[in-house]
Amino acid sequence: METGSAAGAETTGTEPEWTGLPPGLLRMRRLLLVVWLGLLALAVGLLLGLFAGPVWAAFALLPLAVLAWGWVLLGRNWRSWRYAERADDLLITRGVLWREETVVPYGRMQLVEVTSGPVERHFGLASVQLHTAAAATDATIPGLDPAEAERLRDRLTELGEARSAGL
Amino acid sequence: MTAPGVEGAIGAGKAVGERRLHPVTPFRRAWAPVAVLTGWAVHDPNQAQEQLTKLTTTMVLGGLAVLVTAGALYGFLTWWFTYFSVTDSELRIRTGLLFRRTAHIRLERIQAVDITQPLLARVAGVAKLRIDVVGTDKKDELAFLGQGEARRLRAELLARAAGFAPETAHEVGEAPAHELMRVPPNKLAISILLTGATWGSLAAALVAPPFLWLTTHSVWTVLATAVPLLGAAATTSVGRFVGEYDWTVGESPDGLRIDHGLLDRTHETVPPGRVQTVRIVEPLLWRPLRWVRVELDVAGSANSVLVPVAPRAVAESVVARVLPGVTVPRELLRPPGRARWCVPLWWRGYGLAVTDAVFAARHGLLRRRLALVPHAKVQSVRLTQGPWGRLWRLADVHVDTGANKTVTARLRGAEEAASLLREQAERSRTGRRTARPDRWMA
């Protein structure tokens, strides 16, 4: 039933070592953004240009503006994601406008999940999700390198077992 | 928990110690077809009458006989194919005629045990027994058992869950309980009269139907609105009175005992260390009398009331028994004054206090709610800050518990919130050291 360790008490006072996300996730998201909005701009431009006149085709600039804005937003959002493995708990911070910081003690973890969708797999990415007994706990680290995701999963599971506590 | 198809032993024969439910059980399903018919007749009276005139007496009698026989047969078969047994570490329930279902409920994971007796069950001398584990649903209750058997089974389950040796577990018997408090009926009645919801629903039920009559002159519209409104008014006043009548909170080595009900009696047992959060609610009209209502959350359990009404001092002493070593904090820290720009007026209702044992957060201005979470029950801590909050250097700290309830300390200063986040994570980690083991007698 004992949780935590004596060594943990000393390290928690200092600033934790933050790890950012690998650039793969940003690349994937930007590529998806460019592909979808590029297609949209093309469709809008062609359709309006053919059926309503060349002046109307200027509306195709709208998706392009969104693209430029989204490009910046994605970069800011990607930079805001950080996580830190401390001796006894995992820290995750994210968000630019709506900031959120989550602390999950290893002993409370019920399940660690590694997921990877088809697009993510193509880009060689995987996400790690932590579940505790509280459904409100929202601890996901997206866009990790699969090897790193697996290392994190194994380490979290191991630490969780060592410090395990019930409800 | 459920392992359909896994049980190769199902056809092989009865396992040791398997028992059936009380023989009265089949009858609870016999009325189902009659209820369906009645429901249909009420739903569509004109058509029902039309259909009835077409039928001859023999057809009606024959149809009823077939339906009742079918209902009885179904009830009998489900009863015949339902077994339960208690092993060293589990309660096993095996059920299902066509779709087999086996539930193994681990006893050390018990969050609460309830014995309920609806009115008819009281007449028949039987009771339902329900084990609350995270993930159990209505199917996992044992309905019905003989009254005495239900009590014996509860005592045995609790003894085994507490860590007594299996050989002695059924001899331990019921743990002695002593009463902590009892709510007198007159106080309960006054407290319900002083609740805004009672008068609100009553007013709606009295005002809406005449108004509708004046505007539409349609009997059906008036009836369709009046009946549900009156029903709601009845449940919020009379229903609450009947349900919370003779509310008794007791304490025993097996944990907390809560007994209540005028017609339907309910006996709940919450073993030590299962309470995830406690909330002290102060409705506006109760405040001059210094009365409060206490609610609690247990993982996997639907019961949420600990004390329906009690003077503050009594309620606090009960809370101290439920969460050992906890005193309800008196002084709460308000958010900084600039919080008025985020939540005007209501910001005064927010408050926070952190003691050695609990994280306490209050919200609400008219109806004050103070939520207490023992540090050992905290599953994760979160800090959130929106753009408007950042402008005013304010942030919210959320504490998630295992009963799927989140307690939030809103609008704390940004630096305070950041340090609160770190410290709370540390406290929730170390808070476990003094906690009692899951098997509380071991």
Side-chain angles (χ1 to χ4, degrees), chain A residues 1-4 12 88 96-103 105 108 132-137 166-167, chain B residues 111 134 376-378 380-385 387 390 400-401 404 406 422 425-426 428-429 432-433:
Chain A
M1 277 301 110
E2 194 91 350
T3 54
T12 43
D88 295 289
V96 183
L97 274 185
W98 275 271
R99 266 170 37 84
E100 185 163 349
E101 187 166 352
T102 309
V103 186
R108 301 301 153 85
T132 70
T137 305
L167 285 182
Chain B
Q111 300 291 327
V134 178
K377 297 295 176 194
V378 175
S380 63
V381 194
R382 288 174 297 137
L383 180 150
T384 54
Q385 191 182 41
R390 180 151 57 248
D400 304 316
T401 70
N404 275 339
T406 298
R422 303 293 143 105
E426 179 73 20
S428 61
R429 194 168 59 69
R432 200 42 88 136
R433 288 185 185 153

mmCIF file of all heavy atoms in Angstrom, chain A residues 1-4 12 88 96-103 105 108 132-137 166-167, chain B residues 111 134 376-378 380-385 387 390 400-401 404 406 422 425-426 428-429 432-433:
data_model
loop_
_atom_site.group_PDB
_atom_site.id
_atom_site.type_symbol
_atom_site.label_atom_id
_atom_site.label_comp_id
_atom_site.label_asym_id
_atom_site.label_seq_id
_atom_site.Cartn_x
_atom_site.Cartn_y
_atom_site.Cartn_z
ATOM 1 N N MET A 1 0.825 -1.213 0.000
ATOM 2 C CA MET A 1 0.000 0.000 0.000
ATOM 3 C C MET A 1 0.858 1.260 0.000
ATOM 4 O O MET A 1 0.395 2.350 -0.257
ATOM 5 C CB MET A 1 -0.891 0.040 1.248
ATOM 6 C CG MET A 1 -2.160 -0.751 1.097
ATOM 7 S SD MET A 1 -3.166 -0.186 -0.269
ATOM 8 C CE MET A 1 -2.985 -1.549 -1.411
ATOM 9 N N GLU A 2 2.150 1.074 0.326
ATOM 10 C CA GLU A 2 3.028 2.234 0.396
ATOM 11 C C GLU A 2 3.206 2.816 -1.002
ATOM 12 O O GLU A 2 3.429 2.099 -1.965
ATOM 13 C CB GLU A 2 4.384 1.782 0.924
ATOM 14 C CG GLU A 2 5.262 2.924 1.350
ATOM 15 C CD GLU A 2 5.052 3.239 2.815
ATOM 16 O OE1 GLU A 2 4.149 2.729 3.430
ATOM 17 O OE2 GLU A 2 5.808 4.002 3.341
ATOM 18 N N THR A 3 3.057 4.119 -1.108
ATOM 19 C CA THR A 3 3.314 4.713 -2.411
ATOM 20 C C THR A 3 4.491 5.663 -2.288
ATOM 21 O O THR A 3 4.800 6.164 -1.214
ATOM 22 C CB THR A 3 2.102 5.521 -2.912
ATOM 23 O OG1 THR A 3 1.762 6.458 -1.903
ATOM 24 C CG2 THR A 3 0.932 4.640 -3.217
ATOM 25 N N GLY A 4 5.098 5.884 -3.438
ATOM 26 C CA GLY A 4 6.185 6.851 -3.447
ATOM 27 C C GLY A 4 7.444 6.274 -2.848
ATOM 28 O O GLY A 4 7.481 5.157 -2.327
ATOM 29 N N THR A 12 11.293 16.199 -6.217
ATOM 30 C CA THR A 12 10.093 16.903 -6.621
ATOM 31 C C THR A 12 10.192 18.404 -6.432
ATOM 32 O O THR A 12 9.449 19.146 -7.053
ATOM 33 C CB THR A 12 8.865 16.385 -5.860
ATOM 34 O OG1 THR A 12 9.229 16.225 -4.505
ATOM 35 C CG2 THR A 12 8.367 15.087 -6.433
ATOM 36 N N ASP A 88 7.924 10.232 -9.045
ATOM 37 C CA ASP A 88 6.688 9.618 -8.582
ATOM 38 C C ASP A 88 5.459 9.983 -9.379
ATOM 39 O O ASP A 88 4.401 9.445 -9.148
ATOM 40 C CB ASP A 88 6.440 9.997 -7.121
ATOM 41 C CG ASP A 88 7.505 9.411 -6.246
ATOM 42 O OD1 ASP A 88 7.497 8.200 -6.081
ATOM 43 O OD2 ASP A 88 8.361 10.176 -5.761
ATOM 44 N N VAL A 96 -2.192 26.627 -25.703
ATOM 45 C CA VAL A 96 -1.629 27.968 -25.800
ATOM 46 C C VAL A 96 -2.587 28.956 -25.148
ATOM 47 O O VAL A 96 -2.242 29.601 -24.160
ATOM 48 C CB VAL A 96 -1.385 28.355 -27.275
ATOM 49 C CG1 VAL A 96 -0.729 29.708 -27.361
ATOM 50 C CG2 VAL A 96 -0.543 27.305 -27.958
ATOM 51 N N LEU A 97 -3.812 29.030 -25.671
ATOM 52 C CA LEU A 97 -4.792 29.938 -25.073
ATOM 53 C C LEU A 97 -5.400 29.292 -23.843
ATOM 54 O O LEU A 97 -5.440 29.882 -22.782
ATOM 55 C CB LEU A 97 -5.895 30.257 -26.082
ATOM 56 C CG LEU A 97 -5.623 31.409 -27.025
ATOM 57 C CD1 LEU A 97 -6.842 31.672 -27.871
ATOM 58 C CD2 LEU A 97 -5.246 32.662 -26.246
ATOM 59 N N TRP A 98 -5.881 28.066 -24.003
ATOM 60 C CA TRP A 98 -6.421 27.318 -22.874
ATOM 61 C C TRP A 98 -5.345 26.357 -22.378
ATOM 62 O O TRP A 98 -5.162 25.290 -22.922
ATOM 63 C CB TRP A 98 -7.694 26.577 -23.287
ATOM 64 C CG TRP A 98 -8.876 27.455 -23.188
ATOM 65 C CD1 TRP A 98 -9.668 27.642 -22.101
ATOM 66 C CD2 TRP A 98 -9.412 28.303 -24.194
ATOM 67 N NE1 TRP A 98 -10.652 28.556 -22.375
ATOM 68 C CE2 TRP A 98 -10.519 28.988 -23.650
ATOM 69 C CE3 TRP A 98 -9.039 28.577 -25.506
ATOM 70 C CZ2 TRP A 98 -11.267 29.898 -24.369
ATOM 71 C CZ3 TRP A 98 -9.783 29.486 -26.218
ATOM 72 C CH2 TRP A 98 -10.890 30.138 -25.652
ATOM 73 N N ARG A 99 -4.613 26.797 -21.389
ATOM 74 C CA ARG A 99 -3.509 25.997 -20.874
ATOM 75 C C ARG A 99 -4.037 24.939 -19.921
ATOM 76 O O ARG A 99 -4.957 25.196 -19.162
ATOM 77 C CB ARG A 99 -2.519 26.890 -20.127
ATOM 78 C CG ARG A 99 -1.367 27.387 -20.968
ATOM 79 C CD ARG A 99 -0.593 28.445 -20.225
ATOM 80 N NE ARG A 99 -0.505 28.141 -18.796
ATOM 81 C CZ ARG A 99 0.398 27.328 -18.248
ATOM 82 N NH1 ARG A 99 1.282 26.728 -18.990
ATOM 83 N NH2 ARG A 99 0.414 27.147 -16.952
ATOM 84 N N GLU A 100 -3.458 23.774 -19.948
ATOM 85 C CA GLU A 100 -3.836 22.741 -18.999
ATOM 86 C C GLU A 100 -2.596 21.984 -18.569
ATOM 87 O O GLU A 100 -1.746 21.649 -19.392
ATOM 88 C CB GLU A 100 -4.863 21.786 -19.624
ATOM 89 C CG GLU A 100 -5.358 20.787 -18.622
ATOM 90 C CD GLU A 100 -6.658 20.095 -19.037
ATOM 91 O OE1 GLU A 100 -7.282 20.535 -20.009
ATOM 92 O OE2 GLU A 100 -7.002 19.116 -18.362
ATOM 93 N N GLU A 101 -2.490 21.759 -17.286
ATOM 94 C CA GLU A 101 -1.358 21.007 -16.756
ATOM 95 C C GLU A 101 -1.913 19.872 -15.913
ATOM 96 O O GLU A 101 -2.756 20.087 -15.048
ATOM 97 C CB GLU A 101 -0.472 21.927 -15.907
ATOM 98 C CG GLU A 101 0.796 21.267 -15.473
ATOM 99 C CD GLU A 101 1.820 22.256 -14.918
ATOM 100 O OE1 GLU A 101 1.593 23.476 -15.017
ATOM 101 O OE2 GLU A 101 2.824 21.787 -14.371
ATOM 102 N N THR A 102 -1.469 18.655 -16.180
ATOM 103 C CA THR A 102 -2.006 17.486 -15.492
ATOM 104 C C THR A 102 -0.895 16.773 -14.741
ATOM 105 O O THR A 102 0.212 16.621 -15.272
ATOM 106 C CB THR A 102 -2.637 16.509 -16.505
ATOM 107 O OG1 THR A 102 -3.546 17.228 -17.324
ATOM 108 C CG2 THR A 102 -3.367 15.392 -15.806
ATOM 109 N N VAL A 103 -1.168 16.375 -13.522
ATOM 110 C CA VAL A 103 -0.216 15.571 -12.749
ATOM 111 C C VAL A 103 -0.893 14.250 -12.412
ATOM 112 O O VAL A 103 -1.976 14.233 -11.836
ATOM 113 C CB VAL A 103 0.185 16.269 -11.437
ATOM 114 C CG1 VAL A 103 1.281 15.483 -10.733
ATOM 115 C CG2 VAL A 103 0.630 17.686 -11.699
ATOM 116 N N PRO A 105 -0.024 10.764 -10.379
ATOM 117 C CA PRO A 105 0.916 9.924 -9.634
ATOM 118 C C PRO A 105 0.948 8.523 -10.247
ATOM 119 O O PRO A 105 -0.091 7.997 -10.633
ATOM 120 C CB PRO A 105 0.322 9.882 -8.225
ATOM 121 C CG PRO A 105 -0.615 11.036 -8.151
ATOM 122 C CD PRO A 105 -1.118 11.241 -9.537
ATOM 123 N N ARG A 108 -1.494 5.706 -9.253
ATOM 124 C CA ARG A 108 -2.929 5.772 -9.548
ATOM 125 C C ARG A 108 -3.267 5.268 -10.936
ATOM 126 O O ARG A 108 -4.423 5.260 -11.319
ATOM 127 C CB ARG A 108 -3.412 7.221 -9.404
ATOM 128 C CG ARG A 108 -3.198 7.787 -8.044
ATOM 129 C CD ARG A 108 -3.933 6.961 -7.019
ATOM 130 N NE ARG A 108 -3.310 7.036 -5.697
ATOM 131 C CZ ARG A 108 -3.550 7.977 -4.834
ATOM 132 N NH1 ARG A 108 -4.370 8.912 -5.145
ATOM 133 N NH2 ARG A 108 -2.948 7.967 -3.670
ATOM 134 N N THR A 132 -6.694 6.555 -15.220
ATOM 135 C CA THR A 132 -6.790 6.309 -13.780
ATOM 136 C C THR A 132 -8.224 5.912 -13.491
ATOM 137 O O THR A 132 -9.035 5.804 -14.397
ATOM 138 C CB THR A 132 -6.440 7.556 -12.957
ATOM 139 O OG1 THR A 132 -7.479 8.512 -13.135
ATOM 140 C CG2 THR A 132 -5.127 8.150 -13.361
ATOM 141 N N ALA A 133 -8.545 5.726 -12.215
ATOM 142 C CA ALA A 133 -9.911 5.351 -11.860
ATOM 143 C C ALA A 133 -10.879 6.500 -12.116
ATOM 144 O O ALA A 133 -12.079 6.308 -12.162
ATOM 145 C CB ALA A 133 -9.976 4.918 -10.410
ATOM 146 N N ALA A 134 -10.367 7.710 -12.266
ATOM 147 C CA ALA A 134 -11.225 8.857 -12.550
ATOM 148 C C ALA A 134 -11.287 9.066 -14.056
ATOM 149 O O ALA A 134 -10.264 9.206 -14.708
ATOM 150 C CB ALA A 134 -10.681 10.109 -11.870
ATOM 151 N N ALA A 135 -12.520 9.093 -14.596
ATOM 152 C CA ALA A 135 -12.661 9.258 -16.043
ATOM 153 C C ALA A 135 -12.239 10.654 -16.481
ATOM 154 O O ALA A 135 -11.899 10.863 -17.637
ATOM 155 C CB ALA A 135 -14.101 8.997 -16.451
ATOM 156 N N ALA A 136 -12.266 11.610 -15.534
ATOM 157 C CA ALA A 136 -11.929 12.987 -15.888
ATOM 158 C C ALA A 136 -10.441 13.166 -16.160
ATOM 159 O O ALA A 136 -10.039 14.126 -16.795
ATOM 160 C CB ALA A 136 -12.369 13.926 -14.769
ATOM 161 N N THR A 137 -9.628 12.234 -15.658
ATOM 162 C CA THR A 137 -8.193 12.315 -15.902
ATOM 163 C C THR A 137 -7.964 12.254 -17.396
ATOM 164 O O THR A 137 -8.354 11.298 -18.048
ATOM 165 C CB THR A 137 -7.467 11.136 -15.239
ATOM 166 O OG1 THR A 137 -7.818 11.119 -13.883
ATOM 167 C CG2 THR A 137 -5.978 11.275 -15.404
ATOM 168 N N GLY A 166 -4.898 1.226 -4.654
ATOM 169 C CA GLY A 166 -6.251 0.992 -5.169
ATOM 170 C C GLY A 166 -7.020 2.278 -5.360
ATOM 171 O O GLY A 166 -6.458 3.318 -5.671
ATOM 172 N N LEU A 167 -8.308 2.185 -5.138
ATOM 173 C CA LEU A 167 -9.163 3.359 -5.316
ATOM 174 C C LEU A 167 -8.993 4.331 -4.174
ATOM 175 O O LEU A 167 -8.796 3.946 -3.057
ATOM 176 C CB LEU A 167 -10.623 2.923 -5.387
ATOM 177 C CG LEU A 167 -11.050 2.266 -6.683
ATOM 178 C CD1 LEU A 167 -12.520 1.952 -6.614
ATOM 179 C CD2 LEU A 167 -10.753 3.155 -7.850
ATOM 180 N N GLN B 111 -17.089 -1.899 -2.610
ATOM 181 C CA GLN B 111 -17.161 -0.488 -2.229
ATOM 182 C C GLN B 111 -18.328 -0.244 -1.288
ATOM 183 O O GLN B 111 -18.275 0.630 -0.444
ATOM 184 C CB GLN B 111 -17.304 0.388 -3.473
ATOM 185 C CG GLN B 111 -16.142 0.257 -4.450
ATOM 186 C CD GLN B 111 -14.859 0.839 -3.918
ATOM 187 O OE1 GLN B 111 -14.867 1.805 -3.175
ATOM 188 N NE2 GLN B 111 -13.744 0.237 -4.263
ATOM 189 N N VAL B 134 -16.740 -1.293 -8.652
ATOM 190 C CA VAL B 134 -16.699 -0.442 -9.827
ATOM 191 C C VAL B 134 -17.073 -1.294 -11.031
ATOM 192 O O VAL B 134 -16.460 -2.330 -11.266
ATOM 193 C CB VAL B 134 -15.302 0.171 -10.001
ATOM 194 C CG1 VAL B 134 -15.256 1.020 -11.246
ATOM 195 C CG2 VAL B 134 -14.948 0.997 -8.792
ATOM 196 N N ALA B 376 -5.668 10.999 0.059
ATOM 197 C CA ALA B 376 -5.383 9.640 -0.406
ATOM 198 C C ALA B 376 -6.300 9.219 -1.549
ATOM 199 O O ALA B 376 -6.019 8.249 -2.234
ATOM 200 C CB ALA B 376 -5.524 8.655 0.753
ATOM 201 N N LYS B 377 -7.410 9.926 -1.764
ATOM 202 C CA LYS B 377 -8.368 9.524 -2.783
ATOM 203 C C LYS B 377 -8.187 10.263 -4.095
ATOM 204 O O LYS B 377 -8.968 10.078 -5.016
ATOM 205 C CB LYS B 377 -9.803 9.769 -2.271
ATOM 206 C CG LYS B 377 -10.157 8.951 -1.064
ATOM 207 C CD LYS B 377 -10.161 7.488 -1.400
ATOM 208 C CE LYS B 377 -10.430 6.656 -0.174
ATOM 209 N NZ LYS B 377 -10.095 5.248 -0.432
ATOM 210 N N VAL B 378 -7.202 11.134 -4.154
ATOM 211 C CA VAL B 378 -7.012 11.935 -5.366
ATOM 212 C C VAL B 378 -6.346 11.088 -6.443
ATOM 213 O O VAL B 378 -5.313 10.479 -6.207
ATOM 214 C CB VAL B 378 -6.161 13.174 -5.052
ATOM 215 C CG1 VAL B 378 -5.863 13.950 -6.321
ATOM 216 C CG2 VAL B 378 -6.874 14.057 -4.059
ATOM 217 N N SER B 380 -5.855 12.276 -9.852
ATOM 218 C CA SER B 380 -4.985 13.142 -10.644
ATOM 219 C C SER B 380 -5.337 14.588 -10.343
ATOM 220 O O SER B 380 -6.423 14.884 -9.854
ATOM 221 C CB SER B 380 -5.121 12.849 -12.140
ATOM 222 O OG SER B 380 -6.422 13.126 -12.581
ATOM 223 N N VAL B 381 -4.391 15.467 -10.597
ATOM 224 C CA VAL B 381 -4.591 16.889 -10.338
ATOM 225 C C VAL B 381 -4.377 17.635 -11.650
ATOM 226 O O VAL B 381 -3.445 17.327 -12.387
ATOM 227 C CB VAL B 381 -3.587 17.412 -9.286
ATOM 228 C CG1 VAL B 381 -4.018 18.766 -8.773
ATOM 229 C CG2 VAL B 381 -3.440 16.446 -8.147
ATOM 230 N N ARG B 382 -5.261 18.587 -11.944
ATOM 231 C CA ARG B 382 -5.123 19.343 -13.181
ATOM 232 C C ARG B 382 -5.229 20.818 -12.907
ATOM 233 O O ARG B 382 -5.964 21.235 -12.022
ATOM 234 C CB ARG B 382 -6.217 18.944 -14.178
ATOM 235 C CG ARG B 382 -6.022 17.587 -14.779
ATOM 236 C CD ARG B 382 -7.196 17.199 -15.640
ATOM 237 N NE ARG B 382 -8.410 17.102 -14.855
ATOM 238 C CZ ARG B 382 -9.580 17.581 -15.251
ATOM 239 N NH1 ARG B 382 -9.686 18.230 -16.391
ATOM 240 N NH2 ARG B 382 -10.640 17.453 -14.498
ATOM 241 N N LEU B 383 -4.497 21.592 -13.684
ATOM 242 C CA LEU B 383 -4.597 23.049 -13.607
ATOM 243 C C LEU B 383 -5.043 23.538 -14.976
ATOM 244 O O LEU B 383 -4.475 23.137 -15.983
ATOM 245 C CB LEU B 383 -3.234 23.635 -13.233
ATOM 246 C CG LEU B 383 -3.104 25.150 -13.103
ATOM 247 C CD1 LEU B 383 -2.041 25.464 -12.077
ATOM 248 C CD2 LEU B 383 -2.720 25.805 -14.410
ATOM 249 N N THR B 384 -6.080 24.363 -15.018
ATOM 250 C CA THR B 384 -6.501 24.899 -16.307
ATOM 251 C C THR B 384 -6.581 26.414 -16.218
ATOM 252 O O THR B 384 -6.881 26.974 -15.161
ATOM 253 C CB THR B 384 -7.888 24.379 -16.738
ATOM 254 O OG1 THR B 384 -8.810 24.645 -15.695
ATOM 255 C CG2 THR B 384 -7.878 22.900 -17.018
ATOM 256 N N GLN B 385 -6.280 27.036 -17.359
ATOM 257 C CA GLN B 385 -6.305 28.494 -17.417
ATOM 258 C C GLN B 385 -6.708 28.924 -18.816
ATOM 259 O O GLN B 385 -6.089 28.512 -19.795
ATOM 260 C CB GLN B 385 -4.913 29.037 -17.073
ATOM 261 C CG GLN B 385 -4.889 30.528 -16.854
ATOM 262 C CD GLN B 385 -3.489 31.005 -16.561
ATOM 263 O OE1 GLN B 385 -2.540 30.548 -17.172
ATOM 264 N NE2 GLN B 385 -3.363 31.936 -15.626
ATOM 265 N N PRO B 387 -7.827 32.130 -21.655
ATOM 266 C CA PRO B 387 -7.221 33.433 -21.982
ATOM 267 C C PRO B 387 -7.679 34.555 -21.043
ATOM 268 O O PRO B 387 -6.880 35.403 -20.644
ATOM 269 C CB PRO B 387 -7.666 33.693 -23.418
ATOM 270 C CG PRO B 387 -8.730 32.708 -23.713
ATOM 271 C CD PRO B 387 -8.598 31.570 -22.773
ATOM 272 N N ARG B 390 -6.011 34.187 -17.772
ATOM 273 C CA ARG B 390 -4.595 34.555 -17.784
ATOM 274 C C ARG B 390 -4.442 36.073 -17.695
ATOM 275 O O ARG B 390 -3.523 36.590 -17.081
ATOM 276 C CB ARG B 390 -3.915 34.025 -19.037
ATOM 277 C CG ARG B 390 -2.440 34.409 -19.041
ATOM 278 C CD ARG B 390 -1.534 33.465 -19.766
ATOM 279 N NE ARG B 390 -1.898 33.253 -21.143
ATOM 280 C CZ ARG B 390 -2.355 32.127 -21.626
ATOM 281 N NH1 ARG B 390 -2.532 31.102 -20.823
ATOM 282 N NH2 ARG B 390 -2.651 32.015 -22.890
ATOM 283 N N ASP B 400 -9.349 15.158 -9.372
ATOM 284 C CA ASP B 400 -10.218 14.077 -9.840
ATOM 285 C C ASP B 400 -10.197 12.919 -8.849
ATOM 286 O O ASP B 400 -9.136 12.519 -8.395
ATOM 287 C CB ASP B 400 -9.738 13.564 -11.204
ATOM 288 C CG ASP B 400 -9.649 14.672 -12.227
ATOM 289 O OD1 ASP B 400 -10.587 15.471 -12.281
ATOM 290 O OD2 ASP B 400 -8.637 14.734 -12.945
ATOM 291 N N THR B 401 -11.378 12.384 -8.550
ATOM 292 C CA THR B 401 -11.445 11.257 -7.625
ATOM 293 C C THR B 401 -11.984 10.024 -8.329
ATOM 294 O O THR B 401 -12.511 10.104 -9.429
ATOM 295 C CB THR B 401 -12.356 11.564 -6.429
ATOM 296 O OG1 THR B 401 -13.704 11.600 -6.893
ATOM 297 C CG2 THR B 401 -12.005 12.868 -5.788
ATOM 298 N N ASN B 404 -15.546 9.299 -10.061
ATOM 299 C CA ASN B 404 -15.866 10.119 -11.225
ATOM 300 C C ASN B 404 -16.453 11.465 -10.863
ATOM 301 O O ASN B 404 -17.329 11.982 -11.538
ATOM 302 C CB ASN B 404 -16.792 9.376 -12.176
ATOM 303 C CG ASN B 404 -15.993 8.510 -13.109
ATOM 304 O OD1 ASN B 404 -14.802 8.769 -13.288
ATOM 305 N ND2 ASN B 404 -16.594 7.503 -13.660
ATOM 306 N N THR B 406 -15.253 15.375 -9.898
ATOM 307 C CA THR B 406 -14.121 16.275 -9.900
ATOM 308 C C THR B 406 -14.433 17.454 -8.990
ATOM 309 O O THR B 406 -15.501 18.040 -9.100
ATOM 310 C CB THR B 406 -13.825 16.758 -11.323
ATOM 311 O OG1 THR B 406 -13.494 15.625 -12.116
ATOM 312 C CG2 THR B 406 -12.683 17.736 -11.351
ATOM 313 N N ARG B 422 1.476 21.421 -7.543
ATOM 314 C CA ARG B 422 2.640 20.616 -7.134
ATOM 315 C C ARG B 422 2.405 19.987 -5.773
ATOM 316 O O ARG B 422 2.605 18.807 -5.568
ATOM 317 C CB ARG B 422 3.905 21.475 -7.056
ATOM 318 C CG ARG B 422 4.274 22.212 -8.312
ATOM 319 C CD ARG B 422 4.680 21.232 -9.386
ATOM 320 N NE ARG B 422 4.197 21.722 -10.683
ATOM 321 C CZ ARG B 422 4.996 22.274 -11.608
ATOM 322 N NH1 ARG B 422 6.258 22.355 -11.403
ATOM 323 N NH2 ARG B 422 4.500 22.704 -12.737
ATOM 324 N N ALA B 425 -0.265 17.188 -5.720
ATOM 325 C CA ALA B 425 0.235 15.941 -6.297
ATOM 326 C C ALA B 425 1.087 15.217 -5.251
ATOM 327 O O ALA B 425 0.973 14.006 -5.069
ATOM 328 C CB ALA B 425 1.049 16.233 -7.543
ATOM 329 N N GLU B 426 1.913 15.967 -4.560
ATOM 330 C CA GLU B 426 2.775 15.401 -3.524
ATOM 331 C C GLU B 426 1.942 14.829 -2.374
ATOM 332 O O GLU B 426 2.161 13.710 -1.920
ATOM 333 C CB GLU B 426 3.693 16.519 -3.018
ATOM 334 C CG GLU B 426 4.640 16.133 -1.924
ATOM 335 C CD GLU B 426 5.766 15.255 -2.430
ATOM 336 O OE1 GLU B 426 6.013 15.266 -3.648
ATOM 337 O OE2 GLU B 426 6.346 14.549 -1.603
ATOM 338 N N SER B 428 -1.238 13.902 -2.423
ATOM 339 C CA SER B 428 -2.078 12.766 -2.775
ATOM 340 C C SER B 428 -1.232 11.503 -2.884
ATOM 341 O O SER B 428 -1.719 10.404 -2.670
ATOM 342 C CB SER B 428 -2.811 13.034 -4.083
ATOM 343 O OG SER B 428 -1.890 13.229 -5.105
ATOM 344 N N ARG B 429 0.044 11.679 -3.207
ATOM 345 C CA ARG B 429 0.943 10.533 -3.303
ATOM 346 C C ARG B 429 1.283 9.996 -1.915
ATOM 347 O O ARG B 429 1.254 8.794 -1.676
ATOM 348 C CB ARG B 429 2.210 10.978 -4.025
ATOM 349 C CG ARG B 429 3.096 9.895 -4.494
ATOM 350 C CD ARG B 429 4.120 10.487 -5.428
ATOM 351 N NE ARG B 429 4.914 11.516 -4.780
ATOM 352 C CZ ARG B 429 5.799 11.264 -3.826
ATOM 353 N NH1 ARG B 429 5.985 10.049 -3.404
ATOM 354 N NH2 ARG B 429 6.484 12.251 -3.273
ATOM 355 N N ARG B 432 -1.453 8.286 0.976
ATOM 356 C CA ARG B 432 -1.778 6.879 0.976
ATOM 357 C C ARG B 432 -1.081 6.145 2.131
ATOM 358 O O ARG B 432 -1.521 5.084 2.532
ATOM 359 C CB ARG B 432 -1.288 6.345 -0.360
ATOM 360 C CG ARG B 432 -1.887 5.049 -0.829
ATOM 361 C CD ARG B 432 -3.335 4.930 -0.607
ATOM 362 N NE ARG B 432 -4.113 5.470 -1.685
ATOM 363 C CZ ARG B 432 -5.176 4.852 -2.178
ATOM 364 N NH1 ARG B 432 -5.548 3.688 -1.712
ATOM 365 N NH2 ARG B 432 -5.869 5.408 -3.118
ATOM 366 N N ARG B 433 -0.017 6.703 2.629
ATOM 367 C CA ARG B 433 0.795 5.968 3.618
ATOM 368 C C ARG B 433 0.034 5.657 4.889
ATOM 369 O O ARG B 433 0.230 4.616 5.500
ATOM 370 C CB ARG B 433 2.046 6.766 3.963
ATOM 371 C CG ARG B 433 2.998 6.724 2.813
ATOM 372 C CD ARG B 433 4.299 7.387 3.110
ATOM 373 N NE ARG B 433 5.094 7.378 1.881
ATOM 374 C CZ ARG B 433 6.013 8.275 1.608
ATOM 375 N NH1 ARG B 433 6.268 9.243 2.449
ATOM 376 N NH2 ARG B 433 6.684 8.195 0.494
#
